[in-house]
Amino acid sequence: MFHILLTMFAGIGAGYVCRRVKAISYSGKGVTVIVWIMLFMLGAEIGMDRNIVGNLSGLGLQSILFAVAGVAGSVLAAVAVQKVLFSTEVPGKAYVPHEDSPYHAAEAGKTGAGDGILKRFRMFGGTIAVLAFFAAGCIAGLTGIMPFDPREGNVTVYILYVLMLLVGVSIGSNPELKKILKSITPTLLVLPLASIAGTLLFSAAVSLAVSGWGLTDCLAVGSGMGYYSLSSILISQYKEASIGAQLAAELGTVALLANIFRELFTLVSAPVLARKFGPFAPIASAGATAMDVCLPVILKNTGDRMLPAAVISGVISDFSVPLLVPLFCSL
């Protein structure tokens, strides 16, 4: 775990120092490409293992249970935070996004340019791509067309280091980083911390309802906080040494599906969550995706005043994933 975190922090430093270099702006796209590669390889590992393939329906049910638990725990935590600490106004300094940032597009146009089918595709496009690469890997493993076995050697480990380096570079070079940090107040930090705690608490409870996974396994899945791609990759890599390649791949699949379901649930139910439980509820439900994929639908249903809370909550949830997932995998 130490080497992974060191790599990410090195990337953050490099990204900040080189933030004005034009090539650094492509680090986000590099993260996306490597995530696709890793998910393809994870799918191939699953496809090559007939035991996992035969148990996919059971893994899917477990994933839904984890998704429901994560959303319920985070939403209840958000309700408690709003009742105890906040009134109708959200504290924090004014946050005005840079005109080229995705946050500005979400605030000005809610879902950016375009509408109808194009608007929906932009909202779900990233999830569709993730599922497509994962499914393609499963097919490649099932049909035997993979030129090598990803379960052998250290290829995926080296790719994982590159991924974490680029994740750090992407964070450090973010043009919004200073504005986000300036908009933070101590009380505004309570929402993401409470959301994470609520998710972990309810994920721990899932260990009482599912067989085969221990407490720390369930906590590792819950620590994904909606960041389905990175959490599934980290789990499949870190758990292999302790529970074996097959079970590690299964747990990684559960994490992938559970966090995808969490994102989809937030996109669909954000209006109900905001109306029934308050403006913090859809932010907490979104987890790490509150700052990107789910941001437009959050702002549409809670108002522009919730932009700082959504972005800060998403950033902290996002940052917690590479910290908490390896931690619980190592216990």
Side-chain angles (χ1 to χ4, degrees):
M1 182 180 73
F2 173 77
H3 295 94
I4 288 289
L5 295 179
L6 183 62
T7 301
M8 185 182 68
F9 282 115
I12 292 174
Y16 182 77
V17 171
C18 304
R19 62 190 181 280
R20 301 188 186 279
V21 178
K22 185 177 181 180
I24 293 295
S25 63
Y26 295 100
S27 60
K29 294 181 179 179
V31 170
T32 300
V33 171
I34 293 180
V35 162
W36 287 345
I37 293 173
M38 292 290 287
L39 288 172
F40 178 86
M41 295 178 70
L42 175 60
E45 291 182 22
I46 291 171
M48 289 178 178
D49 195 314
R50 296 299 187 268
N51 292 326
I52 298 180
V53 172
N55 193 33
L56 277 180
S57 60
L59 298 179
L61 292 175
Q62 292 179 4
S63 301
I64 294 174
L65 185 58
F66 274 108
V68 171
V71 169
S74 61
V75 168
L76 289 177
V79 171
V81 167
Q82 186 165 345
K83 286 185 176 180
V84 173
L85 295 180
F86 299 105
S87 61
T88 56
E89 295 298 323
V90 179
K93 299 178 182 178
Y95 174 85
V96 180
H98 188 273
E99 61 180 3
D100 294 327
S101 77
Y103 313 136
H104 180 275
E107 182 184 32
K110 299 300 188 258
T111 52
D115 49 29
I117 296 176
L118 180 59
K119 185 187 295 184
R120 293 178 184 274
F121 178 77
R122 285 178 175 175
M123 184 175 293
F124 293 98
T127 303
I128 293 172
V130 164
L131 291 174
F133 275 90
F134 179 70
C138 290
I139 294 172
L142 278 169
T143 57
I145 62 175
M146 280 289 291
F148 65 94
D149 189 341
R151 295 170 294 183
E152 297 178 356
N154 294 318
V155 177
T156 55
V157 175
Y158 296 135
I159 296 177
L160 178 60
Y161 278 111
V162 175
L163 172 63
M164 295 308 301
L165 179 67
L166 288 178
V167 166
V169 170
S170 181
I171 294 173
S173 62
N174 189 337
E176 302 295 313
L177 188 59
K178 285 186 177 181
K179 289 183 178 180
I180 292 172
L181 294 177
K182 288 180 180 179
S183 68
I184 294 176
T185 64
T187 50
L188 204 56
L189 293 174
V190 176
L191 175 61
L193 296 178
S195 176
I196 293 169
T199 297
L200 293 179
L201 179 62
F202 276 59
S203 296
V206 173
S207 65
L208 302 176
V210 298
S211 59
W213 306 124
L215 175 61
T216 56
D217 298 328
C218 294
L219 289 172
V221 173
S223 298
M225 294 300 298
Y227 199 160
Y228 45 76
S229 54
L230 182 59
S231 61
S232 60
I233 291 168
L234 289 172
I235 288 173
S236 61
Q237 291 297 314
Y238 272 96
K239 293 298 293 184
E240 183 174 350
S242 58
I243 63 177
Q246 176 183 328
L247 290 178
E250 288 186 3
L251 191 61
T253 302
V254 170
L256 173 66
L257 296 177
N259 287 290
I260 286 177
F261 290 147
R262 177 170 181 166
E263 177 188 291
L264 294 176
F265 179 84
T266 302
L267 290 170
V268 172
S269 64
V272 176
L273 291 175
R275 185 170 63 252
K276 296 291 186 180
F277 301 103
F280 281 161
I283 296 175
S285 176
T289 62
M291 68 175 181
D292 43 53
V293 177
C294 292
L295 183 60
V297 73
I298 288 172
L299 296 184
K300 181 179 180 180
N301 291 282
T302 64
D304 295 343
R305 67 191 181 92
M306 298 305 297
L307 179 64
V311 173
I312 291 169
S313 182
V315 169
I316 293 177
S317 298
D318 187 44
F319 194 76
S320 72
V321 176
L323 297 175
L324 294 178
V325 173
L327 173 63
F328 289 123
C329 285
S330 63
L331 295 178

